[in-house]
Amino acid sequence: MNLLRGINPVTRILGLVLLTTPLMLTIDWVSATCVLAFTLLMVPVCGLGYGRFFKRALPILLIAPLAGIPMALYGQAGGETYLEWGLVQVTELSVSLAWAVILRVLAIALPVVLLSADVDPTDLGDGLAQVLHLPERFVIGTVAALRMLTLLRDDLDAMRRSRRARGIADQGKIKYWFSLSFGLLVMSLRRAGKLATAMEARGFGGPNKRSWARESKLHSRDWAVMAACLAVALAALALAWATGYLRPVWAVR
C-alpha cells in the first residue's frame, strides 16, 4: 500500500512546507511530538517500510541530539539548577527547551525522508517546470544532476575495484580517499562538460518556449494531501496551545 503513488512530486514539496513551517514558530515538545507521531504512523502506508525508513533517517537520528546541547548549556534559565559553571547554566527549563529542540529537528527532518522517497527525477522536473514554473534550464540541469548521482556511485565502486586489482588499496586511508575524491572530481568535470555540450546541442536555454512530453498538473488527491499536511500542523499547534506548552520562538532568549 502506498498512498503517495501517483502524487505529483511538487505536492510532496508543498506538503512538506505546510507540515513543517508552522513548527518553526514555536519551541515545544507537544507540537513536535504530534507531527513526529503522524510521520511515523504514515511510514507503512506510504510504501517505505520502517526498516528502510530508519536506514535512510540514521544520519538525522545521530545528528539531532547535537542540536539540543547548546540550548541545554546556554539556553533560557528557569526552575531547578542542575549545573552552573561560568557561562554554562543547565537548568530545568533549559533541559526542557533542549528536548523540545531535538524533537523539533526530528519533526522537521523525518518528513523529508518520508516524502522524498521514490521520487522520479523526471517527474520532479516536469512538476517544477510546469506547476511551479521554475526556469527550464535550471530544472533540467537539476534533473540531470540527480540522474548523475547513480553514475557517481557506480564510478566510485569501479575506482575502488580497480585500485584493489592493482594492489594500491592498502595505502594510507587519507591518501587513499584523497585519490578517490580527486578521481571522482575529474570524472565529474568531464561528464559535466559532455552534458553541457549535449544540452546546448538540443537547444536547452534557447529563446523558443519548450514543449513537454508529459503533462504535469495537480489533481484532487494532491490538494487532499496538502490539506492533510496543513491540518496536522495546525492541530499540533492547537494542542500545544490548549495544553499550555506553546512557546513562540520570539519568547525564548
Side-chain angles (χ1 to χ4, degrees):
M1 182 178 182
N2 187 356
L3 296 180
L4 296 180
R5 182 177 290 112
I7 294 296
N8 196 304
V10 173
T11 302
R12 299 177 182 236
I13 299 174
L14 297 179
L16 182 65
V17 172
L18 294 173
L19 179 64
T20 59
T21 300
L23 295 181
M24 299 180 183
L25 304 177
T26 177
I27 300 180
D28 67 88
W29 66 271
V30 175
S31 60
T33 301
C34 291
V35 174
L36 190 57
F38 172 75
T39 302
L40 294 178
L41 288 175
M42 293 303 294
V43 168
V45 297
C46 289
L48 193 58
Y50 286 111
R52 185 181 170 202
F53 174 78
F54 285 112
K55 183 178 180 180
R56 290 168 56 93
L58 183 59
I60 298 173
L61 298 176
L62 295 177
I63 296 175
L66 300 179
I69 294 178
M71 183 62 73
L73 298 180
Y74 309 105
Q76 186 175 1
E80 182 181 354
T81 300
Y82 301 125
L83 174 65
E84 187 172 2
W85 182 64
L87 297 177
V88 176
Q89 189 176 17
V90 181
T91 65
E92 184 179 0
L93 179 57
S94 66
V95 171
S96 175
L97 290 175
W99 176 242
V101 168
I102 294 174
L103 289 177
R104 187 175 68 157
V105 170
L106 292 175
I108 292 175
L110 292 185
V112 178
V113 177
L114 178 63
L115 294 176
S116 63
D118 302 324
V119 175
D120 183 77
T122 303
D123 292 338
L124 177 61
D126 290 336
L128 293 177
Q130 300 179 52
V131 178
L132 296 184
H133 302 289
L134 295 181
E136 299 165 355
R137 191 181 186 92
F138 167 78
V139 169
I140 297 183
T142 302
V143 173
L146 292 175
R147 291 292 189 187
M148 291 298 174
L149 288 178
T150 303
L151 294 178
L152 187 65
R153 291 193 294 266
D154 295 339
D155 290 340
L156 178 60
D157 292 337
M159 291 176 62
R160 295 177 66 177
R161 289 194 299 268
S162 65
R163 278 165 169 72
R164 189 178 298 111
R166 288 181 290 173
I168 58 176
D170 296 330
Q171 57 183 338
K173 291 294 183 181
I174 297 179
K175 184 178 180 181
Y176 174 70
W177 285 108
F178 178 79
S179 63
L180 283 180
S181 302
F182 183 76
L184 285 176
L185 177 62
V186 173
M187 296 179 68
S188 299
L189 292 176
R190 290 177 178 175
R191 186 171 284 118
K194 294 179 181 179
L195 179 61
T197 302
M199 291 178 66
E200 291 292 341
R202 289 169 172 80
F204 287 91
N208 298 325
K209 184 175 179 60
R210 295 198 56 81
S211 59
W212 302 95
R214 296 181 297 182
E215 182 183 15
S216 179
K217 60 182 180 180
L218 301 182
H219 301 280
S220 57
R221 286 186 59 199
D222 297 289
W223 293 107
V225 170
M226 288 187 284
C229 292
L230 181 59
V232 170
L234 295 179
L237 292 181
L239 182 60
W241 175 78
T243 55
Y245 286 99
L246 186 68
R247 183 181 294 272
V249 292
W250 52 84
V252 179
R253 58 177 176 86

